[in-house]
Amino acid sequence: MFKVLIAEDEMLVRVGLKNAIEWDKFGMTVIADVPNGQEAWEVYQQDAPDIVITDIKMPVMDGMELIGRIRETDQTTKVVILTCMEDFDLVRKALVHHVSEYILKLEMTPEQIEKLLSRLQHEMKTSPQRPSPQHLESEHDAVKENLIKDYLFCNGYTEREFAAKVDYLQLNLKPTRMIVCAMEIDQYWRLRDRFQDQKGQLTRRSLLNVLNEVLRGYERGEVFHDEESRYVMLFSFHDLLSEQQIYENLYKIIDHIRKVMSTYFNVTVSFGISDIQSGYGALIRQYRQSIQALERKFFYGPGKNAFVERGDNELIGGELREKLLGLAEGWEVGDGYKKLLAEKIHAFLGDGSALSKQEVQKQFMQWLLWPISTLHLARTNRIEFFTTYADRIMNAETLDEMIEAYRQYLAELARLHAQKRIVSREINNVLQFIEANYERDITLEELAELVQMSPNYLSGLFKKEMQQNYADYLVQYRIEQAKELLLGTYLKTYEVAEKTGFTNHSYFSRAFKKITGSSPREFRRQWMVDWSKAGESDDQE
C-alpha cells in the first residue's frame, strides 16, 4: 500500500479529504492527518510517506518549508498542494520543488481527487522516479490535447483513426450533434499580470484545471488550450434530439463557466459558437466557424455569445455607422476639420469593408495620420502622438475601446491646436500652398514670390514662427502623407515616394527612417495586420 500524509490546518478540509476518498481503491492508506508543517515533518521522518498532500499556509511550519525539507531528503515523494487562488505566488515558488499537482480548495471534488490519485498510482507503479519537471500536466490531458490539435491543425489522423483514439482515451465526445465553442479571456493581460505569470504557464494550467473540472460534471465535452487567451471546447449532444434542447444545455454549461471564471479569476469571457454538425470530419470546419464567430466580439463587446451565420451583419453595420459618425461630431477643432473627418467616415462606410476588424483597424490608423500633418504640429508632438495612440488602436480588443482611444486622441489634438502659436498671414499662406502642392517640387523662390517676400526674409520668418526651417518642414509633411499612403493603400514604397514629392527613392527611405525610426516597409509591417497583398516582395528600398 502507498502511504499518504495529509497536512492541512483547516480541520473540515483535512477531515473531509481523509473521509471522502476510498483510498484503498488506489492501493493507498492515510497514515496521518496533521494540522501543521512541523507535525507533518515529524511523520515524514518517521514513516516516509509516498504521497504528501499539504496546504501552503499553516502555523508552526508552513507548506513551503515542509516541501523544501522533503526535497532536501529525496526527489521521489509525490507532493500535492492544496491552495486558494490568492496563494498563487507561493504555488509558483513551490513548482520549483517539482510538485506533482495542486488542487484549488474551493473547486475540490472527490472525482477530481480520485482522478489525480489514479494518475499518481500509475506513475508510482510504472516508475520509481518522479515525473520530469517539464511534464507538469497530467499525462492524460497532454495526450488528449495533442490528439485534438494534431487532428484539427496538422492532418495527423484520418477521421477513423481519430475516432479510435477518442474511444481509447475515453473522451467525453461522440460524433453526433457536435458544437465547437471558442472561449477568449477578456483583457487577458490583466489576469496574467495579477498572477505575475509573464510566460503564462501557471495561468494556462489553472484555467485548464477549472475548465476540465466544469466539463467533467456534464460529461459531454472536452477542452484544449488554443492560443494565449483562447480555449476551445468540443461538445457532443448525441442524446438530445431537438435543437432547442441542445442550445438550452449549451447555455447552461456556458453560464456555469462564466460564473466560475468570474468567481475564481475575476474575469469575463467571450464565446464564439459554431453550428450543429455530425461526424468528426466536421470538427475542422466547426473550429473555423467558432473563431470567425468569436471575432465578432470586436463589435459586440466582451462577455457575450457570438454565433456563426446568424445574419447580424446589418445590425453590426448600423451600430458601426452610428458610433463612427459620432466621432466627427465630437471633434471641436473647427467645422472644416469636422466636415473632412465626416467625409472620410462616410467614404469608409460606403465601400462595404467595414464589417472586418482588420479593415476598421487599418482605417483608424489612417485617421491617426492626417490630422497630425493638417494641424501643423511640431515633429516631437507628431512622433509622440502617433506612437502612443497607434499602440492603443492596435491593442484595442473592441470597437468601443478603439473609438474611445481615438476620441482621446482628437481631444488632445484639439488642446494642442488651441495652444499652438498663431502664425502670420504670409506663413499661413505658405503652409496652405505646401498642403496643396507637396506632391511636386516646391522651391523657396516660388514660395517667396507667392507671399511677395525675398527668399532670405521668408526663410528667416518661417524658421522663427515654425521653429524649423522650410526644407525640414516640407520633408516632414511629405513623410506624414507617405505614412497615410503606406497604411491606406497597396502602393509599393517607390510609388509612395513619387506621390509624396520624393524624386529619389533612396533619399525617401533614408528620410523616412530618420524621422520615424523605421524604414517604409518596416513601418507598414509594424502597424498593419496583413499586407500580403501589398506586393512588397519585389520592392527594393
Side-chain angles (χ1 to χ4, degrees):
M1 297 285 282
F2 295 114
K3 295 180 288 185
V4 179
L5 166 62
I6 300 173
E8 165 62 63
D9 63 323
E10 296 182 44
M11 183 180 67
L12 291 178
V13 175
R14 186 173 72 251
V15 174
L17 178 60
K18 179 181 178 181
N19 295 324
I21 304 299
E22 296 182 42
W23 297 93
D24 57 353
K25 182 169 69 174
F26 304 97
M28 300 176 186
T29 182
V30 177
I31 59 173
D33 60 289
V34 296
N36 61 66
Q38 180 60 45
E39 291 187 36
W41 176 240
E42 293 171 359
V43 172
Y44 173 84
Q45 289 179 302
Q46 180 176 342
D47 297 321
D50 301 288
I51 301 173
V52 175
I53 302 176
T54 179
D55 190 6
I56 292 183
K57 293 182 177 179
M58 295 184 294
V60 187
M61 179 193 295
D62 63 24
M64 288 297 296
E65 184 176 351
L66 173 63
I67 295 170
R69 290 192 180 188
I70 290 173
R71 285 296 176 245
E72 289 176 0
T73 303
D74 77 83
Q75 296 291 322
T76 59
T77 300
K78 304 295 182 182
V79 177
V80 177
I81 294 175
L82 296 172
T83 183
C84 299
M85 291 301 300
E86 59 266 24
D87 297 335
F88 264 27
D89 282 340
L90 295 175
V91 173
R92 187 184 302 106
K93 294 176 182 177
L95 290 176
V96 176
H97 295 297
H98 312 313
V99 301
S100 299
E101 186 59 90
Y102 69 89
I103 301 173
L104 297 176
K105 291 183 184 180
L106 294 178
E107 280 286 291
M108 185 172 63
T109 64
E111 292 77 16
Q112 178 189 19
I113 297 169
E114 287 185 357
K115 181 177 179 181
L116 168 61
L117 296 178
S118 178
R119 178 170 66 84
L120 295 180
Q121 179 190 35
H122 175 74
E123 289 178 359
M124 289 186 292
K125 282 184 176 180
T126 56
S127 174
Q129 301 299 320
R130 63 171 175 81
S132 66
Q134 291 77 20
H135 189 66
L136 295 174
E137 299 170 311
S138 86
E139 181 181 352
H140 182 271
D141 287 344
V143 171
K144 174 191 72 176
E145 183 163 320
N146 288 335
L147 168 66
I148 296 174
K149 287 184 175 180
D150 284 348
Y151 180 64
L152 291 181
F153 309 135
C154 305
N155 296 319
Y157 300 97
T158 65
E159 184 176 349
R160 178 176 294 182
E161 290 170 338
F162 179 73
K165 291 282 187 180
V166 168
D167 290 341
Y168 176 76
L169 293 174
Q170 297 182 327
L171 301 187
N172 287 319
L173 201 59
K174 302 291 182 183
T176 307
R177 291 181 283 281
M178 297 178 302
I179 293 179
V180 175
C181 292
M183 184 193 82
E184 185 169 72
I185 311 298
D186 301 323
Q187 295 187 318
Y188 172 77
W189 59 272
R190 294 183 184 275
L191 181 63
R192 189 184 58 197
D193 289 350
R194 192 183 311 144
F195 289 158
Q196 298 180 353
D197 183 25
Q198 294 306 310
K199 293 184 178 180
Q201 282 185 319
L202 182 61
T203 308
R204 170 177 175 268
R205 188 171 174 213
S206 303
L207 290 167
L208 275 176
N209 279 351
V210 171
L211 290 171
N212 273 315
E213 183 63 29
V214 171
L215 294 189
R216 274 194 290 270
Y218 293 92
E219 296 185 344
R220 62 169 71 257
E222 297 289 352
V223 61
F224 68 91
H225 178 254
D226 189 17
E227 292 184 353
E228 184 179 39
S229 61
R230 192 166 72 206
Y231 297 76
V232 175
M233 281 157 272
L234 315 179
F235 294 106
S236 56
F237 299 90
H238 58 283
D239 55 331
L240 302 178
L241 297 180
S242 77
E243 187 172 303
Q244 180 179 348
Q245 285 180 309
I246 290 174
Y247 282 115
E248 285 177 354
N249 273 260
L250 178 65
Y251 295 151
K252 182 178 180 181
I253 298 171
I254 286 176
D255 288 344
H256 188 175
I257 291 173
R258 277 207 168 92
K259 183 177 180 180
V260 168
M261 289 295 164
S262 174
T263 301
Y264 297 111
F265 296 95
N266 194 28
V267 295
T268 61
V269 291
S270 301
F271 286 91
I273 302 170
S274 77
D275 60 9
I276 303 171
Q277 299 187 39
S278 294
Y280 289 135
L283 283 175
I284 297 175
R285 181 167 61 256
Q286 288 180 294
Y287 167 79
R288 292 171 182 164
Q289 287 179 341
S290 70
I291 301 304
Q292 178 186 345
L294 187 59
E295 289 175 354
R296 298 189 182 190
K297 164 188 170 181
F298 176 70
F299 298 101
Y300 288 141
K304 297 181 176 63
N305 299 334
F307 295 84
V308 69
E309 298 177 356
R310 280 294 179 95
D312 53 359
N313 283 354
E314 184 176 344
L315 175 62
I316 292 176
E319 292 181 355
L320 179 65
R321 176 178 296 275
E322 182 180 348
K323 290 178 178 179
L324 291 186
L325 290 177
L327 282 176
E329 292 301 318
W331 196 18
E332 301 176 355
V333 180
D335 291 338
Y337 294 112
K338 182 182 295 187
K339 181 179 178 181
L340 183 56
L341 179 57
E343 289 175 355
K344 288 179 177 290
I345 292 172
H346 276 293
F348 172 56
L349 292 170
D351 70 4
S353 62
L355 295 183
S356 160
K357 175 184 177 180
Q358 287 72 26
E359 289 299 326
V360 175
Q361 190 177 58
K362 181 175 71 174
Q363 195 63 51
F364 269 91
M365 293 297 291
Q366 294 178 51
W367 293 343
L368 282 178
L369 290 167
W370 69 267
I372 295 179
S373 53
T374 304
L375 295 179
H376 313 300
L377 295 180
R379 176 188 173 188
T380 53
N381 285 335
R382 294 178 184 182
I383 295 173
E384 176 184 353
F385 273 106
F386 181 80
T387 301
T388 299
Y389 285 96
D391 282 337
R392 289 186 59 183
I393 293 296
M394 295 300 289
N395 292 323
E397 292 186 4
T398 66
L399 175 63
D400 287 340
E401 288 180 20
M402 199 173 288
I403 287 175
E404 180 57 29
Y406 196 72
R407 284 189 195 281
Q408 294 179 16
Y409 168 76
L410 292 180
E412 192 67 10
L413 279 180
R415 184 185 66 80
L416 281 179
H417 182 68
Q419 296 177 352
K420 191 178 64 173
R421 179 182 302 181
I422 299 175
V423 298
S424 64
R425 178 176 57 83
E426 290 79 8
I427 297 302
N428 186 60
N429 289 340
V430 167
L431 295 177
Q432 291 182 359
F433 185 86
I434 290 174
E435 289 178 20
N437 298 277
Y438 68 90
E439 302 97 330
R440 66 175 180 83
D441 184 38
I442 302 175
T443 64
L444 182 61
E445 287 72 19
E446 183 179 10
L447 294 173
E449 184 177 349
L450 173 71
V451 295
Q452 298 296 302
M453 291 180 177
S454 71
N456 285 340
Y457 186 82
L458 175 60
S459 177
L461 182 63
F462 191 98
K463 187 170 184 179
K464 177 181 178 181
E465 294 191 12
M466 298 300 295
Q467 304 299 308
Q468 63 183 144
N469 63 46
Y470 144 75
D472 288 344
Y473 177 85
L474 179 58
V475 169
Q476 289 172 14
Y477 187 85
R478 285 170 168 166
I479 293 299
E480 296 301 332
Q481 305 309 309
K483 287 180 183 178
E484 190 168 352
L485 289 176
L486 286 168
L487 298 184
T489 72
Y490 294 129
L491 293 173
K492 296 184 178 181
T493 56
Y494 75 84
E495 294 172 321
V496 171
E498 291 172 356
K499 286 185 174 294
T500 52
F502 291 94
T503 57
N504 185 295
H505 178 222
S506 296
Y507 173 66
F508 166 67
S509 295
R510 291 196 301 273
F512 194 98
K513 187 164 188 176
K514 180 179 179 181
I515 291 174
T516 67
S518 59
S519 71
R521 183 186 299 177
E522 291 168 343
F523 176 84
R524 173 176 273 173
R525 288 175 177 169
Q526 178 182 4
W527 296 113
M528 296 314 302
V529 176
D530 181 11
W531 280 95
S532 58
K533 299 179 182 179
E536 288 291 317
S537 59
D538 298 325
D539 186 11
Q540 302 297 318
E541 294 182 357

